[in-house]
Amino acid sequence: MYHQPVLKNRRTLLERAEKFISDIYFTDCNLRGRLYGDTCPLERLSVFVSPKRMSYSDAVGQQFQPCKVGDTFGPTWWTCWFKVSLTIPESWRGKEVHLRWESDGEGMVWKDGEAVQGLTKEGEKTTYVLTEFLKDDEPHSTTLYVELACNGLFGAGQGSMIATPDPNRKFTVQIAELVVFNRNVRELLTDFEMLVDIVKLLGEEEQRSYQALFTANEMVNLCDPSNPGSFSAARDLAQKFFSQRNGESQHVVHAIAHCHIDSAWLWPYEETIRKCGRSWATVIGLMEKNPEFVFACSQAQQFQWVKNWYPGLFSQIQTYVQKGRFIPVGGTWVEMDGNLPSGESMVRQFLEGQNFFKTEFGHFCREFWLPDTFGYSAQLPQLMAGCGITRFLTQKLSWNLVNTFPHNTFFWEGLDGSQVLTHFPPGNSYEMKGKVEDLIKTMKNNKDKGRANHSAALFGFGDGGGGPTQLMLDRFQRVKDTDCLPRVQFSSPDRLFSELEADSGLLCTWTGELFLELHNGTYTTQAKIKMGNRQCEVLLHDIEVASCLAWCLNKTFSYPSHRLQELWRKLLLNQFHDVIPGSCIEMVVKDALEYYEEIRSTGSSLLNVACEALGSGDCTAVLNTLPWGRREVILLTGCNDVQPRLALVEVPSVGLSVIKELLQPTCPVTVTTKTDGTFVMENGVLQAVLDHKGCLLSLSLVETSREAISDRCAGNQFVLFDDVPLYWDAWDVMDYHLQTRKPVVEVLKPAEVGSNGGLRGSITFSLRISSLSTITQEVVLDADCPYLKFNTQVNWAEAHKFLKVEFPVRVRSSSATYEIQFGHLQRPTHRNTSWDWARFEVWGHKWADLSEHGFGVALLNDCKYGYSTYQNTMTLSLLRAPKAPDANADVGRHEFTYAVMPHIGSFQEASVIQSAYNLNFPLRLVPSAADKANWSAFSVSPAAVVLETIKQAEADDNALVVRLYESHGSSVTATLSTSLAVREAWYCDLLECPDPKRQAAITPTGILLDFRPFQIVSLLLIL
Ligand SMILES: [Zn+2]
């Protein structure tokens, strides 16, 4: 009998199989060329073009103009509505018929008024199935609509993905026709593709690779593309290969379908709504056809958008959620930035998110899901745990530029010791395609081999790509248990984590923050967004405190819970991981700043209403929303004062005090001009010496004469760096920028005395940064104030420059301390190891501190987040000037304040934390009757415990929630005292669910509470 010779030429065999399925070569005779059968033009195609996004019902009533394939539309950000009239030829009976649509832009098919599927070339979604088997009795003629957004998957970047959008891009319809789709060809192609990939990726070392090669070769022998009758024999061969099973020990890959949709980035928020609609409609279509298919979906905000804009789709989603197949994950309002939002903001991300999921779908999420943000706060484990979440999935640390993170599956231990089981999908992607490569990567990259036998593979096109495809599902289906590849199962986050939990005995623990060694520019880029975030966090805090106090004084006061929720949701949305980091296009910046303006204006009126409810009369009182007494110089306006004037006021904690007689400072401020041109400012606490350039030559504590500024150095030194990263312009500042340091020395207007003392001393000066940019600064020393303040204005018109301010201090310590959410942590001031020098630019919140035993210096700020401390120089990052994706990022006028605070003892003993709060939370003036007594609602002792939040309970109008945290890093028993008539106090979690077993004891002095270091405690107070 004749045997076909199979020579030992791996290359020709492999390339033969590749050519057999090539979409470039030999399509006249290969299998690929048979994928589509007959075609038929559309009966009619017409279009309506609009600069606005509009609803289906509005669109279909418009005037449509005839158009044809090959026509171009636009410009960028416009929308085309196509009316597609079609009739399927009679002769296609029994065939699978698709509408084939290839165009630029992102499309959505509408059928009978419902959004049914996305059409995006870049997401491999170019056909819409009209029928899988054309029957006589089904209508052959129909009309569909295609809504086409004139932007690509990643917006419309000019020349590069992250370049500024091209406003004049044109969008072409390349194909719009009916086509017969040969499903059997598609199936056989998938067999071939998987086999060829196995040959290539397993390589010459694996005998399985050769088995795949010979299988594919024999399939080519058996298969005649022109004779579909020959396909089944080839398919049987493939099936035989795929069904040769693994042993029991093989790694298990949990294939979790996903579509990572950035809530705004290279496109505006409004377009994201449609991206969600397109993607999720596609997912529902796949669910109907694939009973095993499940899909994990994050971000409550996006569900809310779809609920509002696609109610029909949303109710289908609800049905599939009930079936456990459309799986809400994450528990947060948006996938927020993991560094910059305050502790309370992060709580609200979970509170709004989890409550939404519970209300709409019946349960809380059990996993936190944040695959794509730029670092993860060390407080997140405790925040998760307090919100019913014990599991965490991300993968962004695979982007580290310097060090390889050592784990894929591990316990992450937070600042307070809380632990969450954490998984980084080893394939380092959240957009896999179901290919052999994805499976092999997932298995090979896993750094916990033998410790964890399960990994996730997240698959599906993100953003405008519309999630997974049928092809991806088919690929996984073939290799569910194929010898030499990991086992694959369609899975959910819950299944994955349950498996990991069940066998976690060998897992390692990582303690502290997950710092991303990349994208460190995002602590500074888009300064106005950062400022909006900080100021609105403060404003919402104050509205809640003032409204609670108003309600406690008078129960008829209506707490603005609904409006506060609206404002919080806007703030939370802007904390999305491409908005608050500043890595978005100008359109998004504009939207974000508008949201902050809405929060400011609505918030101010809510605050006014609450303040007016606190008192009335011709006199003025001062409201302090912070949990300690304050003695500060403020500017009095209104009331009986004709002219605004300074006054020293004293206000009890979370309380009010009426301004009666004027307080005298312990020691008046003096400002002296010396003959050498320097200025000396003194307030009995600090003595500062500045030169005509505003440089701080000396800063000392009066009581001990301890000097804070390093020998022969000056503080408040502005420095400018070249800032040209390798690619990610708005995101990255590279280590080499440090080599380009240039002090800002050109004086525009030399220092002069502004306020000459008494309650306030100040000097002002201006510097020239360049021919384009200037700094004007007022250096302020207030009576009884422990810090020197720098009110700064910058006119900024730079390109690729980075402005910072330096304070070289007389302190030696191997680590500096930075405030984070509900606590602080240390980072090195040296560059011993690669892990140390990779943190050349770090983030912090309201303060950073460098201390040695008995003395230290803190650097406070009111809206900045970027810091660095190298050796003894503390640096605050002020402004960047990236050009992509927003060419005008940060160009314009900026106002911000920072302060320097030398102190005796530790920063805890010296009340640095309180001072940083004071700098950020202004005392507020409220109307009052003259005879009103000073009043304090709450106080806490010891000072280690901070009462951060006072709000109305979500579920009970007659209860307050108070949130406290231990801020020093100590175990303490604290007393929360209150003048309010609290009947009961219950411990509750961050979602405000009370623990029925834990009632807090109310003693005559207050409520006693135990804290471990950095612990967050929430109480439900029943009034
Ligand atoms: Zn993202």
Side-chain angles (χ1 to χ4, degrees):
M1 191 179 164
Y2 176 74
H3 285 278
Q4 295 164 2
V6 179
L7 301 179
K8 285 204 160 178
N9 191 336
R10 183 178 160 95
R11 180 176 162 187
T12 57
L13 293 190
L14 175 57
E15 287 198 21
R16 180 193 187 202
E18 286 180 308
K19 292 298 172 351
F20 193 64
I21 54 172
S22 169
D23 54 7
I24 301 168
Y25 304 105
F26 305 109
T27 51
D28 59 323
C29 61
N30 74 4
L31 187 63
R32 179 80 58 181
R34 302 280 170 166
L35 182 58
Y36 293 107
D38 292 342
T39 61
C40 166
L42 301 176
E43 202 167 80
R44 209 167 36 252
L45 186 64
S46 52
V47 67
F48 159 69
V49 183
S50 160
K52 285 204 175 70
R53 299 172 182 89
M54 60 173 69
S55 68
Y56 171 84
S57 51
D58 286 345
V60 296
Q62 305 291 331
Q63 286 291 323
F64 283 71
Q65 306 297 328
C67 67
K68 58 184 190 306
V69 171
D71 285 354
T72 59
F73 305 92
T76 317
W77 309 123
W78 284 45
T79 298
C80 309
W81 284 86
F82 292 96
K83 188 172 180 180
V84 180
S85 306
L86 57 91
T87 299
I88 306 173
E90 284 296 324
S91 60
W92 288 8
R93 213 168 294 127
K95 310 271 191 203
E96 178 167 344
V97 182
H98 292 188
L99 166 66
R100 194 170 174 204
W101 181 282
E102 282 192 33
S103 67
D104 306 320
E106 296 181 67
M108 168 79 104
V109 183
W110 290 82
K111 188 183 177 193
D112 305 328
E114 288 295 333
V116 290
Q117 193 201 291
L119 282 175
T120 309
K121 201 164 54 172
E122 297 149 293
E124 296 177 6
K125 291 168 188 73
T126 54
T127 67
Y128 173 69
V129 181
L130 294 165
T131 173
E132 286 179 359
F133 186 90
L134 184 67
K135 297 192 220 51
D136 282 339
D137 56 352
E138 67 184 296
H140 288 212
S141 295
T142 189
T143 298
L144 303 171
Y145 287 86
V146 175
E147 175 193 12
L148 190 74
C150 291
N151 55 261
L153 176 69
F154 291 126
Q158 214 159 358
S160 143
M161 179 179 76
I162 63 163
T164 50
D166 176 355
N168 299 312
R169 189 179 283 189
K170 291 290 180 191
F171 295 76
T172 309
V173 177
Q174 293 105 0
I175 299 175
E177 64 186 13
L178 304 186
V179 65
V180 170
F181 181 76
N182 293 318
R183 177 71 55 186
N184 52 0
V185 173
R186 178 63 266 174
E187 297 289 358
L188 191 52
L189 280 172
T190 307
D191 290 341
F192 270 112
E193 287 162 3
M194 294 299 278
L195 285 166
V196 164
D197 281 354
I198 290 170
V199 176
K200 289 199 284 198
L201 290 158
L202 287 183
E204 294 186 37
E205 288 167 15
E206 295 284 347
Q207 76 157 1
R208 252 328 239 177
S209 166
Y210 284 91
Q211 291 170 351
L213 177 67
F214 297 134
T215 302
N217 184 59
E218 189 57 19
M219 285 166 65
V220 182
N221 289 337
L222 289 175
C223 176
D224 172 3
S226 65
N227 174 19
S230 70
F231 293 178
S232 67
R235 289 221 61 199
D236 287 349
L237 269 188
Q239 182 54 32
K240 188 175 159 211
F241 178 90
F242 293 134
S243 61
Q244 285 177 319
R245 299 169 63 178
N246 278 293
E248 281 178 26
S249 66
Q250 187 55 272
H251 195 83
V252 180
V253 171
H254 292 247
I256 302 175
H258 185 52
C259 177
H260 177 81
I261 302 181
D262 292 300
S263 289
W265 178 27
L266 303 172
W267 56 87
Y269 286 129
E270 268 198 1
E271 193 54 46
T272 310
I273 299 172
R274 299 201 296 189
K275 284 177 188 281
C276 296
R278 289 189 281 263
S279 306
W280 299 357
T282 307
V283 165
I284 293 292
L286 283 174
M287 280 189 180
E288 285 163 355
K289 289 182 184 167
N290 298 273
E292 278 184 90
F293 169 55
V294 293
F295 178 75
C297 191
S298 63
Q299 311 198 55
Q301 167 73 83
Q302 296 187 359
F303 282 93
Q304 179 73 59
W305 279 334
V306 167
K307 187 181 177 190
N308 293 347
W309 292 91
Y310 303 90
L313 174 60
F314 188 74
S315 72
Q316 284 181 298
I317 289 170
Q318 279 182 310
T319 307
Y320 278 105
V321 172
Q322 294 314 321
K323 290 179 181 167
R325 297 186 52 203
F326 202 109
I327 300 169
V329 287
T332 47
W333 186 247
V334 295
E335 286 185 16
M336 73 280 196
D337 181 82
N339 300 328
L340 310 185
S342 70
E344 189 58 28
S345 283
M346 284 196 171
V347 171
R348 302 305 173 95
Q349 287 285 356
F350 285 104
L351 183 72
E352 287 298 324
Q354 290 285 48
N355 283 347
F356 180 89
F357 291 124
K358 175 95 174 179
T359 308
E360 298 294 338
F361 306 122
H363 51 80
F364 293 136
C365 300
R366 297 178 63 196
E367 295 85 19
F368 182 37
W369 186 272
L370 200 53
D372 187 34
T373 191
F374 312 149
Y376 306 86
S377 163
Q379 243 338 343
L380 276 166
Q382 186 180 189
L383 294 171
M384 287 182 230
C387 298
I389 289 175
T390 53
R391 302 149 159 190
F392 174 43
L393 184 142
T394 183
Q395 64 79 48
K396 199 71 183 186
L397 259 59
S398 66
W399 286 45
N400 268 5
L401 207 61
V402 182
N403 297 285
T404 304
F405 193 79
H407 313 300
N408 285 99
T409 305
F410 60 103
F411 288 103
W412 180 23
E413 184 179 277
L415 201 59
D416 71 317
S418 299
Q419 289 197 345
V420 288
L421 180 59
T422 299
H423 181 66
F424 294 179
N428 297 338
S429 169
Y430 44 84
E431 285 192 293
M432 288 184 158
K433 308 292 182 285
K435 293 191 142 190
V436 174
E437 178 193 3
D438 298 336
L439 297 173
I440 290 178
K441 254 189 173 170
T442 297
M443 187 168 59
K444 285 204 169 158
N445 290 356
N446 181 14
K447 294 182 206 77
D448 293 288
K449 291 188 187 75
R451 299 174 193 270
N453 208 29
H454 296 258
S455 296
L458 308 183
F459 69 100
F461 288 99
D463 292 323
T469 61
Q470 183 66 49
L471 179 57
M472 295 178 195
L473 302 181
D474 292 345
R475 286 171 181 152
F476 281 132
Q477 282 287 3
R478 277 166 177 67
V479 293
K480 282 180 144 181
D481 190 357
T482 295
D483 189 16
C484 238
L485 292 180
R487 261 198 288 273
V488 185
Q489 58 187 39
F490 291 113
S491 187
S492 64
D494 179 54
R495 251 173 97 183
L496 166 74
F497 279 102
S498 297
E499 294 283 5
L500 293 173
E501 279 163 356
D503 188 14
S504 61
L506 292 174
L507 297 182
C508 298
T509 300
W510 177 272
T511 299
E513 67 178 326
L514 298 174
F515 185 86
L516 180 65
E517 296 170 354
L518 197 74
H519 294 357
N520 320 73
T522 61
Y523 319 143
T524 305
T525 306
Q526 301 287 7
K528 288 198 168 78
I529 289 183
K530 267 75 172 173
M531 185 171 76
N533 182 68
R534 180 78 63 81
Q535 290 181 347
C536 290
E537 286 176 339
V538 168
L539 178 59
L540 293 179
H541 169 274
D542 284 3
I543 299 167
E544 290 183 341
V545 172
S547 301
C548 285
L549 298 188
W551 175 76
C552 288
L553 287 178
N554 179 356
K555 294 289 164 49
T556 64
F557 177 80
S558 160
Y559 187 90
S561 51
H562 186 67
R563 300 187 76 186
L564 270 166
Q565 184 185 46
E566 286 173 359
L567 300 186
W568 266 112
R569 286 183 169 187
K570 286 205 162 76
L571 182 71
L572 299 179
L573 175 55
N574 277 350
Q575 288 169 352
F576 177 74
H577 66 251
D578 282 308
V579 180
I580 196 174
S583 49
C584 48
I585 58 171
E586 192 171 12
M587 283 172 111
V588 178
V589 176
K590 205 167 146 270
D591 286 348
L593 296 181
E594 251 168 49
Y595 285 177
Y596 291 128
E597 266 324 295
E598 283 174 46
I599 298 169
R600 285 189 183 101
S601 69
T602 308
S604 303
S605 54
L606 292 179
L607 185 62
N608 283 343
V609 170
C611 287
E612 277 161 21
L614 285 174
S616 56
D618 300 338
C619 229
T620 302
V622 184
L623 170 67
N624 172 19
T625 63
L626 295 177
W628 44 78
R630 291 164 71 176
R631 181 181 164 89
E632 283 172 31
V633 174
I634 60 167
L635 189 66
L636 281 184
T637 52
C639 194
N640 295 327
D641 303 298
V642 184
Q643 290 290 325
R645 64 189 170 98
L646 294 173
L648 182 65
V649 296
E650 214 166 58
V651 200
S653 59
V654 197
L656 284 168
S657 98
V658 182
I659 299 173
K660 291 175 186 157
E661 81 270 37
L662 295 179
L663 297 178
Q664 293 305 314
T666 317
C667 172
V669 182
T670 58
V671 181
T672 319
T673 310
K674 297 281 184 191
T675 49
D676 62 357
T678 60
F679 301 85
V680 181
M681 296 163 67
E682 199 175 318
N683 70 351
V685 183
L686 298 178
Q687 187 197 62
V689 182
L690 292 112
D691 70 10
H692 71 290
K693 294 182 294 199
C695 284
L696 187 60
L697 304 180
S698 163
L699 179 65
S700 58
L701 288 164
V702 171
E703 197 183 338
T704 56
S705 303
R706 176 65 156 86
E707 175 61 50
I709 301 297
S710 196
D711 276 349
R712 294 181 299 281
C713 291
N716 200 35
Q717 175 67 60
F718 291 99
V719 281
L720 194 66
F721 298 85
D722 294 343
D723 186 12
V724 187
L726 296 174
Y727 176 72
W728 297 98
D729 200 359
W731 290 256
D732 284 351
V733 54
M734 309 311 296
D735 47 7
Y736 53 74
H737 87 285
L738 293 168
Q739 299 169 43
T740 64
R741 177 183 178 279
K742 286 179 199 68
V744 175
V745 291
E746 195 184 333
V747 178
L748 204 60
K749 192 163 154 282
E752 59 181 49
V753 176
S755 304
N756 48 19
L759 290 178
R760 173 169 291 172
S762 71
I763 66 155
T764 59
F765 62 92
S766 298
L767 302 177
R768 186 181 287 289
I769 300 170
S770 71
S771 61
L772 302 166
S773 307
T774 57
I775 302 173
T776 299
Q777 199 169 54
E778 180 191 26
V779 185
V780 177
L781 186 63
D782 279 347
D784 290 335
C785 183
Y787 49 79
L788 184 67
K789 233 175 10 173
F790 301 85
N791 297 331
T792 314
Q793 292 169 15
V794 181
N795 288 318
W796 182 248
E798 298 300 313
H800 299 298
K801 298 286 177 194
F802 198 159
L803 180 69
K804 307 185 190 183
V805 64
E806 291 176 348
F807 289 87
V809 296
R810 200 178 288 190
V811 175
R812 181 166 172 80
S813 174
S814 60
S815 66
T817 306
Y818 301 86
E819 190 193 34
I820 68 162
Q821 295 80 359
F822 298 119
H824 55 81
L825 48 69
Q826 279 81 39
R827 301 191 185 103
T829 56
H830 55 75
R831 296 176 186 155
N832 282 359
T833 70
S834 60
W835 293 87
D836 300 328
W837 60 254
R839 286 180 282 178
F840 59 88
E841 175 82 11
V842 299
W843 61 273
H845 284 184
K846 300 185 289 291
W847 58 270
D849 182 85
L850 186 66
S851 284
E852 56 191 36
H853 179 68
F855 179 80
V857 180
L859 191 51
L860 325 176
N861 75 78
D862 74 346
C863 63
K864 299 294 171 194
Y865 296 89
Y867 278 102
S868 59
T869 309
Y870 177 56
Q871 294 183 342
N872 67 328
T873 299
M874 306 180 76
T875 306
L876 182 66
S877 299
L878 302 176
L879 290 168
R880 294 188 68 219
K883 296 294 157 195
D886 173 6
N888 298 312
D890 282 322
V891 170
R893 183 185 152 90
H894 297 270
E895 281 187 36
F896 49 86
T897 293
Y898 54 88
V900 61
M901 176 175 170
H903 58 83
I904 316 173
S906 68
F907 68 84
Q908 291 98 330
E909 291 157 348
S911 301
V912 163
I913 299 168
Q914 282 77 4
S915 295
Y917 270 94
N918 293 348
L919 184 74
N920 279 268
F921 290 73
L923 290 170
R924 299 190 187 267
L925 299 178
V926 303
S928 171
D931 56 351
K932 193 165 169 141
N934 289 357
W935 180 58
S936 164
F938 289 98
S939 62
V940 200
S941 68
V945 173
V946 176
L947 170 57
E948 172 78 22
T949 304
I950 305 167
K951 68 184 281 290
Q952 189 185 61
E954 297 286 306
D956 182 354
D957 291 355
N958 289 311
L960 300 183
V961 166
V962 292
R963 192 164 1 266
L964 308 95
Y965 72 98
E966 198 290 319
S967 68
H968 287 180
S970 60
S971 297
V972 291
T973 299
T975 308
L976 173 67
S977 309
T978 177
S979 60
L980 307 179
V982 175
R983 288 190 288 123
E984 290 172 27
W986 292 87
Y987 286 91
C988 63
D989 65 12
L990 297 176
L991 303 178
E992 305 184 7
C993 304
D995 180 345
K997 292 196 224 55
R998 292 189 70 205
Q999 189 168 9
I1002 305 177
T1003 71
T1005 51
I1007 303 167
L1008 297 182
L1009 303 165
D1010 287 328
F1011 286 84
R1012 54 174 197 274
F1014 304 114
Q1015 189 184 359
I1016 306 162
V1017 169
S1018 304
L1019 292 176
L1020 198 64
L1021 304 181
I1022 317 283
L1023 267 70

